[in-house]
Amino acid sequence: MIRLFVTHDLAAGREFSLDEGQSHYLAAVMRAKAGDELRVFNGRDGEWRALVAAVGKRAVALQVIDPARPQGEGPDLDLVVALVKRGALETIVEKAAELGVRRIRPVVTERTNADHTRTDRLRAIAMEASEQTGRLDVPQVLEPVKLDALVAGWEEGRRLLFCDEGGEARPVLEALEGAGEGPWAVLVGPEGGFSPRERGMLRALPYATPATLGPRILRADTAAITALALWQAKLGDWRS
């Protein structure tokens, strides 16, 4: 079943036209025709059953039929990830969306090997992953900021799982034992790791929980996927 994320409000009988990209996808790639059924969601109104109302030269029109699933909300989990090379970063964003992250916050660190990224491209990847994985929302992908600025403006009450491979730290599952639920973030550094100054700053944060991801040195994309999976298994919605 095709699933599409849309920005329109969803209600029975509502009709609207898709944007150029989604229209092309349905008409040219999926060969949709009038009467075909699909599912749509917008992150607010749940998932709805819809029909292709018309396939035009410029746009595909949909008609919303009835609700399929009520809106749900996953865990309040952010992924804070240092900018890395494009391919690895795109993999991280895709897998973070699949793993239920609510927000993705790229950061620039002292050893970051990239200082910019195409946020619009990352947002498109997050949307496609959300459509395919069955979730009812799309994670936010924020603009990159410097690590120091992120820490200075840290949200009160949000805990931080700091993936620290530069010093002594407990394994993730042990470090999270008894840590409690609530808003969390997972922080993964660049390929070269955090600088000594950054590590000292992060370890001194009262809301940070340093943890190790095992005996091997992991690439940034592997580290992000591993840390998110372990957090989900311990504190997230995998338990249910």
Side-chain angles (χ1 to χ4, degrees):
M1 177 65 65
I2 298 172
R3 299 180 75 245
L4 291 180
F5 174 78
V6 298
T7 58
H8 303 273
D9 293 333
L10 299 175
R14 180 78 188 274
E15 292 193 20
F16 55 86
S17 295
L18 296 173
D19 62 29
E20 182 179 356
Q22 289 179 321
S23 294
H24 174 79
Y25 170 72
L26 278 184
V29 179
M30 301 306 296
R31 304 291 185 184
K33 58 185 183 299
D36 285 354
E37 181 178 333
L38 67 156
R39 301 292 173 90
V40 292
F41 65 103
N42 61 8
R44 306 182 302 275
D45 301 321
E47 183 176 81
W48 288 70
R49 191 169 65 92
L51 297 178
V52 175
V55 179
K57 292 182 178 180
R58 295 185 178 180
V60 172
L62 301 184
Q63 180 181 29
V64 181
I65 304 303
D66 52 30
R69 283 195 295 161
Q71 185 65 38
E73 197 169 61
D76 190 352
L77 176 64
D78 290 0
L79 173 63
V80 182
V81 58
L83 289 179
V84 292
K85 293 180 180 179
R86 186 183 68 179
L89 186 59
E90 291 181 355
T91 297
I92 290 170
V93 169
E94 178 183 68
K95 301 311 175 187
E98 293 178 11
L99 288 166
V101 164
R102 190 175 295 184
R103 281 168 293 272
I104 300 167
R105 309 169 79 95
V107 292
V108 178
T109 69
E110 292 179 6
R111 294 178 177 174
T112 294
N113 56 13
D115 59 3
H116 66 280
T117 187
R118 281 191 55 191
T119 310
D120 59 337
R121 167 69 178 159
L122 298 181
R123 289 170 179 156
I125 290 171
M127 183 179 72
E128 291 170 7
S130 298
E131 290 172 343
Q132 294 169 4
T133 201
R135 62 184 289 174
L136 295 173
D137 61 344
V138 174
Q140 290 179 281
V141 181
L142 305 183
E143 295 294 335
V145 298
K146 291 186 176 181
L147 178 62
D148 288 356
L150 180 78
V151 170
W154 193 256
E155 175 188 352
E156 183 177 357
R158 184 174 297 278
R159 301 288 301 279
L160 177 66
L161 176 62
F162 165 36
C163 298
D164 181 10
E165 300 306 312
E168 294 183 1
R170 293 181 293 169
V172 172
L173 293 180
E174 181 182 326
L176 292 177
E177 188 67 40
E181 300 179 10
W184 273 86
V186 171
L187 171 60
V188 176
E191 298 290 359
F194 295 101
S195 71
R197 183 195 69 82
E198 290 170 333
R199 286 190 59 251
M201 173 188 68
L202 292 166
R203 279 183 162 267
L205 297 174
Y207 51 81
T209 300
T212 178
L213 295 176
R216 287 167 290 279
I217 298 174
L218 304 180
R219 293 172 58 94
D221 48 352
T222 307
I225 295 167
T226 301
L228 292 174
L230 291 172
W231 187 92
Q232 279 282 35
K234 192 67 175 179
L235 297 177
D237 57 11
W238 283 16
R239 296 174 298 163
S240 59

